[in-house]
C-alpha cells in the first residue's frame, strides 16, 4: 500500500520544501540497522549481539551508558556491533537503508541469509512472536490480514494498529522525524517516532514474515500528566508544519488519544480542568483537544446547519458568538462538503468551548424541504440522547434549517430557553423580492396549526422562508437581530400585536469581533510594499456590489493626482469579473486575488493600511437599509483603518468610531479628500514619481 503524505501543501513554498525533504534522505546500501536502547547487559542484548555474527548487511547499534554493556561490546570486537551513549548518537552510525528501534528486553529474529530486497522508501511491517499484550494482539491480527493491494494503511485506524509496538522497519530517511526526549519513557519516544515517520513519508508499506520481534516493549509506569503534556507538545509542533489533510487527521487522532489520558485525571479529581489547560498553554500547545477535555460538560446546545470546519460567513459568525458567550456548548451541524470548502483551522474559533459536535450527513442545500426535514429529524434524535444536559438552546439562520430544528426541540421541551438569531431578513432578498421554497409535508403544516393560537393561523403557509421567521418570532424566548433596521424591516409585514411581542424579547447585537490572537494564528506570505498605501477588499462580488465599485475608487483617486496606492482584492474571480478587470484603465492600481482562508484573511487585514467595506445598495428598493456587512466585525479587530462606503442613514453610515472613516457611496468628490486624511494619519505620501503609469482617456 502506498503512503503519500506531504509535510507542506498550503503555500507557494510547498513543492520546494517537499523536494528538499526528499533530498535529505541520503542513499544508503540495502540492509538493516538495529538500534537497541538498554540500561544493562541482559540476555536479550546478548542474543542480538550473537545473531550479528552471521550478518553481513545488518548492524546492531547499542545505545547505553552502562559500563557492563560497554565492556561486552568491546569484548565482542565485531564491526557490525557499535556502542553509542544515546539514541540520537546511535542514529549517526546508521549506515543501511532501513532501521528498527528495539527495547532493552527485545530480540530480533533475522533469517540466516539476511537478504533484504526492500526499496529505499519501503516501510516494512515485521511479525511479533510474543503478541500477548492487547496492542500486540491487535497488531498481529492486522499483520496476518495485511494485503499490500487492499489494506488502506494511510487511514487513521490502520496507523493506530501499527505504532503502539516497535515492529516497524523504517526507511533511514525518517531517522530524524523525532528527536529523542529524555524526559519521556523509551516507549513514548518510539510511539512518537513511528507516528511522525509515517505522516511525513512517501513510499510503499509491505510486510516481512521472515523477520520477527520477540519480547514486549516495556511501558514502565503509566505516563504522568507532565509526560503526557510533553507528548502532546511534540504532536503540536508537527501539526504546525502544515501537513496535508490526511496526515493532519492522523496527528489529531493521536492528539485526542493522549488528551483522553489527561481527561481521565481531571475526571478523577487529580487536577482541575483549568490547571490542565494552563499546563497545556504554558507548554506552547496551540492545538488543544478541548472537545475531549470538555466532554460531557456542556449545558447549551447550538443548532447551526453550517458550522466550522466549513468556511461559511454564517457558520463563522455563529462560532464567534459561541466564543463571545464563553459557555461550553454542544453543536449539531451538517456535513457541507458539496457546497462549502473545509478549513479545519476554523475549529480554533470555538475549540476551547466545544464539548461535542455532531455532524449530520443529510442532503446539503440552501432551502430545500428534503434537506431541512432531514436535519430537523436527525438533529432531534441527537438532541434526545442528551436532552437532560441542556438548559439553553441557540439557533442561527442563515441557513433556515437551524430554526426549524430549534422549533422542533422547543415543542418537545417548552421550558428550554430558545434564542434565535437572524443574520439577514429571510422572507425577502436584497432586491426586496419574495423568497420561496415549498414545505413538502402537509402533516408538518397541520401540526403547526394544531399547537398554534388561532389568531396566528393566517400567517402560516407552505413557504419555508415565511415559517423560518414566524416560528422563532412566536416561540423563541429571545430574538437576536444584528441591527434595529433589520428588526423593523422584518416586522413591518406583521400586525402590531406580533410586532410588540417580538420587540419585547428582541436583542440588537452586531456581529462579534474575533479575539486579537486569531489575527496571528496563520501567517500570510502575501507581499505588499510598505511605502505604498495598501487598501484591501475581501468578499464576494454581487449584483449590488462588484468590481465597478472598486474601479470607481481607483478612478477617483487617480483623477485627483493620487497614485501611491494599490487596492488588493480577494474575491470570487469569475470570468465576468476578470474581463472587467482586464478592460479597466485602472488595473495597474488593482491586484486581483482569489479567496484566502479565514485566518489568513484576518492576518492580511491586520497588515493592510485601509480595509474597504460597502453597504448593500437598497435605495429605491427598500424603505431603509437593513444590512450590516459581517466583515465589519472582522475589520474592527484589526489594526487597520476601515473605509466604509455607505448609503445615507444606514447603520454603517451612522457608525462613529476612530477606526472607521465613512464616505457616501455616491459622494465621489469626497473620495480623495477622505483618502488624503487617512494617508496623513498613516504617515504615507499620496504621490510617488516611481509609480507613474501611462493612462489613456
Amino acid at each position: 500500500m502506498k503512503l503519500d503524505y506531504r509535510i507542506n501543501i498550503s503555500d507557494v513554498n510547498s513543492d520546494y520544501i517537499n523536494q528538499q525533504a526528499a533530498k535529505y534522505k541520503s542513499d544508503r546500501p540495502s540492509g538493516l540497522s538495529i538500534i537497541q536502547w538498554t540500561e544493562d547487559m541482559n540476555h536479550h542484548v546478548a542474543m542480538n549481539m550473537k545473531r550479528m555474527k552471521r550478518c553481513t548487511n545488518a548492524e546492531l547499534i547499542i545505545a547505553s551508558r552502562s559500563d557492563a554493556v560497554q565492556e561486552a561490546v568491546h569484548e565482542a570486537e565485531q564491526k557490525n556491533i557499535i556502542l553509542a551513549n544515546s539514541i540520537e548518537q546511535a542514529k549517526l552510525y546508521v549506515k543501511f537503508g532501513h532501521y528498527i528501534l528495539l527495547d532493552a528486553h527485545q530480540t530480533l529474529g533475522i533469517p540466516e541469509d539476511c537478504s533484504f530486497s526492500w526499496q529505499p522508501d519501503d516501510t516494512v511491517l515485521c511479525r511479533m512472536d510474543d503478541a500477548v499484550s492487547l496492542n500486540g494482539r491487535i497488531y498481529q491480527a492486522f499483520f496476518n490480514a495485511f494485503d499490500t493491494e487492499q489494506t488502506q494503511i494511510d487511514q487513521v485506524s490502520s496507523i493506530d494498529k501499527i505504532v503502539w509496538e516497535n515492529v516497524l522497519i523504517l526507511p533511514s530517511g525518517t531517522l530524524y522525524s523525532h528527536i529523542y526526549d529524555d524526559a519521556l519513557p523509551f516507549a513514548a519516544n518510539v510511539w512518537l517516532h513511528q507516528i511522525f515517520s509515517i505522516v511525513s513519508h512517501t513510499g510503499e508499506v509491505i510486510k516481512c514474515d521472515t523477520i520477527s520481534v520477540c519480547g514486549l516493549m516495556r511501558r514502565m509506569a503509566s505516563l504522568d500528566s507532565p509526560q503526557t503534556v510533553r507528548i502532546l507538545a511534540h504532536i503540536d509542533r508537527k501539526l504546525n508544519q502544515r501537513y496535508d489533510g490526511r496526515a493532519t487527521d492522523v496527528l489529531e487522532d493521536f492528539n485526542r488519544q493522549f488528551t483522553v489520558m489527561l481527561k481521565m485525571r481531571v475526571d478523577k479529581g487529580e487536577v482541575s480542568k483549568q490547571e490542565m489547560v494552563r499546563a497545556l498553554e504554558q507548554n506552547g500547545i496551540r492545538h488543544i483537544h478541548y472537545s475531549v477535555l470538555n466532554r460531557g460538560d456542556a449545558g447549551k446546545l447550538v443548532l447551526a446547519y453550517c458550522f466550522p470546519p466549513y468556511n461559511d460567513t454564517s457558520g463563522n459568525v455563529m462560532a464567534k458568538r459561541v466564543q463571545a458567550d464563553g459557555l461550553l456548548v454542544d453543536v449539531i451541524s451538517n456535513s457541507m462538503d458539496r457546497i462549502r470548502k473545509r478549513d479545519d483551522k476554523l475549529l480554533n474559533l470555538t475549540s476551547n468551548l466545544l464539548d461535542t459536535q455532531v455532524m449530520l450527513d443529510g442532503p446539503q442545500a440552501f432551502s430545500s424541504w428534503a434537506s431541512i426535514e432531514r436535519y430537523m429529524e436527525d438533529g432531534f434524535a441527537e438532541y434526545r440522547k442528551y436532552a437532560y444536559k441542556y438548559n439553553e438552546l441557540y439557533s442561527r439562520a442563515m441557513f433556515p434549517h437551524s430554526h426549524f430544528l430549534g422549533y422542533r426541540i422547543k415543542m418537545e421541551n417548552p421550558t428550554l430557553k430558545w434564542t434565535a438569531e437572524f443574520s439577514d431578513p429571510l422572507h425577502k432578498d436584497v432586491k426586496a423580492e419574495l423568497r420561496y421554497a415549498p414545505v413538502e409535508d402537509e402533516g408538518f403544516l397541520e401540526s403547526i396549526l394544531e399547537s398554534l393560537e388561532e389568531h396566528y393561523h393566517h400567517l402560516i403557509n407552505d413557504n419555508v422562508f415565511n415559517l423560518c421567521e414566524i416560528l422563532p418570532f412566536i416561540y423563541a424566548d429571545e430574538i437576536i437581530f444584528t441591527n434595529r433596521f433589520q428588526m423593523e424591516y422584518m416586522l413591518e409585514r406583521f400586525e402590531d400585536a406580533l410586532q410588540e411581542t417580538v420587540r419585547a424579547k428582541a436583542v440588537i447585537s452586531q456581529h462579534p469581533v474575533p479575539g486579537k490572537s486569531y489575527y496571528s494564528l496563520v501567517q500570510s506570505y502575501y507581499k505588499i510594499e510598505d511605502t505604498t498605501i495598501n487598501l484591501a477588499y475581501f468578499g464576494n462580488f454581487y449584483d449590488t456590489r462588484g468590481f465597478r465599485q472598486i474601479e470607481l475608487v481607483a478612478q477617483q483617486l487617480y483623477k485627483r493626482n493620487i497614485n501611491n496606492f494599490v487596492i488588493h482584492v480577494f474575491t470570487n474571480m469569475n470570468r465576468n469579473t476578470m474581463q472587467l478587470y482586464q478592460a479597466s484603465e485602472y488595473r495597474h492600481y488593482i491586484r486581483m486575488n482569489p479567496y484566502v482562508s479565514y485566518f489568513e484573511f484576518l492576518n492580511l487585514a491586520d497588515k493592510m493600511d485601509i480595509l474597504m467595506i460597502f453597504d448593500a445598495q437598497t435605495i429605491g428598493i427598500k424603505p431603509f437599509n437593513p444590512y450590516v456587512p459581517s466583515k465589519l466585525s472582522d475589520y474592527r479587530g484589526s489594526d487597520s483603518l476601515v473605509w466604509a462606503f455607505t448609503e445615507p442613514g444606514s447603520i454603517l453610515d451612522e457608525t462613529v468610531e476612530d477606526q472607521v472613516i465613512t464616505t457616501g457611496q455616491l459622494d465621489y468628490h469626497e473620495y480623495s479628500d477622505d483618502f488624503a486624511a487617512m494617508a496623513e494619519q498613516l504617515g504615507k505620501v499620496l504621490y510617488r514619481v516611481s509609480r507613474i503609469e501611462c493612462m489613456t482617456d
Side-chain angles (χ1 to χ4, degrees), residues 1 6 182 209 247 257 392 484 490 568 659 666 681:
M1 180 62 207
R6 291 289 187 270
D182 288 321
D209 290 293
Q257 291 192 49
E392 190 173 350
R484 69 181 189 278
M490 293 178 69
H568 306 267
Q659 183 186 11
L666 302 181
Q681 188 174 342

Side-chain angles (χ1 to χ4, degrees), residues 428-671:
K428 291 183 179 179
D429 64 18
V430 71
K431 296 180 180 179
E433 294 178 355
L434 182 71
R435 284 195 180 106
Y436 176 76
V439 175
E440 300 169 344
D441 185 348
E442 289 292 336
F444 178 73
L445 295 174
E446 291 174 3
S447 69
I448 292 175
L449 294 173
E450 287 175 4
S451 60
L452 192 62
E453 296 177 26
E454 190 171 345
H455 62 274
Y456 288 133
H457 282 200
H458 69 284
L459 300 175
I460 304 303
N461 60 24
D462 70 341
N463 186 355
V464 162
F465 295 104
N466 174 56
L467 294 181
C468 194
E469 290 186 353
I470 292 290
L471 296 177
F473 284 172
I474 295 174
Y475 289 106
D477 301 285
E478 186 174 77
I479 307 291
I480 306 294
F481 297 100
T482 59
N483 68 87
R484 69 181 189 278
F485 292 153
Q486 177 198 3
M487 178 178 70
E488 295 302 328
Y489 182 75
M490 293 178 69
L491 292 181
E492 67 176 0
R493 68 188 180 99
F494 300 110
E495 63 272 15
D496 292 345
L498 181 56
Q499 288 191 31
E500 291 307 312
T501 297
V502 174
R503 286 194 180 94
K505 54 187 178 183
V507 174
I508 306 300
S509 175
Q510 287 196 25
H511 305 102
V513 176
K516 191 59 186 176
S517 63
Y518 294 127
Y519 290 78
S520 58
L521 188 65
V522 170
Q523 290 296 321
S524 176
Y525 297 98
Y526 183 81
K527 292 183 179 180
I528 57 176
E529 186 179 345
D530 289 340
T531 55
T532 301
I533 301 173
N534 293 288
L535 302 92
Y537 172 82
F538 298 89
N540 269 324
F541 283 155
Y542 298 103
D543 292 340
T544 59
R545 182 178 70 236
F547 177 78
R548 291 296 191 195
Q549 289 173 294
I550 303 296
E551 182 185 45
L552 182 61
V553 175
Q555 179 193 54
Q556 292 300 315
L557 298 183
Y558 177 80
K559 286 185 174 181
R560 294 293 295 270
N561 205 32
I562 297 171
N563 77 345
N564 187 31
F565 71 93
V566 174
I567 303 176
H568 306 267
V569 178
F570 299 86
T571 189
N572 49 323
M573 293 173 60
N574 55 42
R575 179 179 297 179
N576 181 56
T577 296
M578 294 310 296
Q579 286 176 343
L580 291 172
Y581 170 69
Q582 293 297 337
S584 174
E585 296 179 7
Y586 305 96
R587 64 182 180 275
H588 303 291
Y589 297 99
I590 303 170
R591 285 177 58 181
M592 299 296 295
N593 301 278
Y595 279 126
V596 292
S597 66
Y598 179 72
F599 288 115
E600 185 173 1
F601 147 63
L602 292 184
N603 188 246
L604 281 169
D606 219 25
K607 293 178 177 180
M608 296 292 175
D609 296 310
I610 302 170
L611 306 174
M612 303 168 68
I613 192 166
F614 293 84
D615 260 334
Q617 295 178 356
T618 63
I619 294 175
I621 301 173
K622 297 178 185 286
F624 36 75
N625 191 326
Y627 304 104
V628 175
S630 62
K631 282 286 187 296
L632 179 60
S633 66
D634 296 318
Y635 287 179
R636 279 175 166 144
S638 76
D639 292 330
S640 305
L641 296 175
V642 179
W643 194 3
F645 296 84
T646 65
E647 284 193 338
S650 72
I651 295 296
L652 195 56
D653 190 48
E654 294 179 354
T655 301
V656 179
E657 299 173 18
D658 291 341
Q659 183 186 11
V660 180
I661 293 82
T662 59
T663 304
Q665 288 193 34
L666 302 181
D667 297 332
Y668 308 130
H669 60 284
E670 295 183 5
Y671 282 19

Side-chain angles (χ1 to χ4, degrees), residues 18-154:
N18 285 315
Q19 289 169 9
Q20 294 305 308
K23 290 179 181 178
Y24 184 72
K25 302 173 183 177
S26 59
D27 293 330
R28 294 180 173 88
S30 179
L32 179 62
S33 296
I34 305 160
I35 299 176
Q36 183 161 31
W37 168 86
T38 184
E39 293 177 337
D40 56 17
M41 192 64 200
N42 59 59
H43 73 277
H44 302 281
V45 178
M47 181 64 72
N48 286 325
M49 292 175 63
K50 181 178 179 182
R51 288 176 176 174
M52 285 298 100
K53 292 181 179 180
R54 51 186 170 84
C55 292
T56 57
N57 56 351
E59 64 176 344
L60 175 63
I61 307 167
I62 300 173
S64 178
R65 296 185 180 91
S66 165
D67 292 338
V69 174
Q70 187 173 15
E71 184 178 345
V73 171
H74 289 318
E75 287 179 357
E77 293 184 347
Q78 288 180 237
K79 293 182 179 179
N80 56 353
I81 300 178
I82 303 164
L83 181 68
N85 62 21
S86 68
I87 293 291
E88 289 307 306
Q89 188 188 60
K91 293 177 183 179
L92 301 175
Y93 293 105
V94 169
K95 68 179 182 181
F96 292 115
H98 286 78
Y99 69 98
I100 187 171
L101 297 169
L102 290 185
D103 184 276
H105 296 266
Q106 291 181 306
T107 55
L108 193 70
I110 306 176
E112 291 188 6
D113 57 10
C114 295
S115 58
F116 306 119
S117 58
W118 308 318
Q119 296 301 308
D121 286 334
D122 286 347
T123 296
V124 183
L125 312 179
C126 55
R127 192 179 72 248
M128 285 191 71
D129 280 348
D130 294 330
V132 294
S133 68
L134 176 60
N135 285 326
R137 294 198 304 272
I138 291 172
Y139 167 77
Q140 190 58 43
F142 176 84
F143 177 87
N144 292 338
F146 182 84
D147 184 286
T148 302
E149 298 299 324
Q150 297 180 4
T151 305
Q152 297 294 317
I153 199 68
D154 58 348

Side-chain angles (χ1 to χ4, degrees), residues 375-436:
Y375 177 75
M376 184 167 53
E377 294 308 317
D378 290 356
F380 182 71
E382 292 296 333
Y383 156 76
R384 295 194 71 176
K385 292 178 182 178
Y386 304 102
Y388 63 90
K389 291 176 56 178
Y390 306 121
N391 50 48
E392 190 173 350
L393 183 67
Y394 197 112
S395 61
R396 187 177 197 275
M398 192 64 64
F399 291 65
H401 307 58
S402 305
H403 286 342
F404 279 94
L405 177 53
Y407 165 75
R408 180 76 174 86
I409 294 173
K410 182 68 173 179
M411 291 298 96
E412 171 77 7
N413 186 357
T415 63
L416 191 65
K417 180 186 176 183
W418 177 23
T419 299
E421 178 179 350
F422 290 94
S423 57
D424 287 319
L426 293 169
H427 190 245
K428 291 183 179 179
D429 64 18
V430 71
K431 296 180 180 179
E433 294 178 355
L434 182 71
R435 284 195 180 106
Y436 176 76

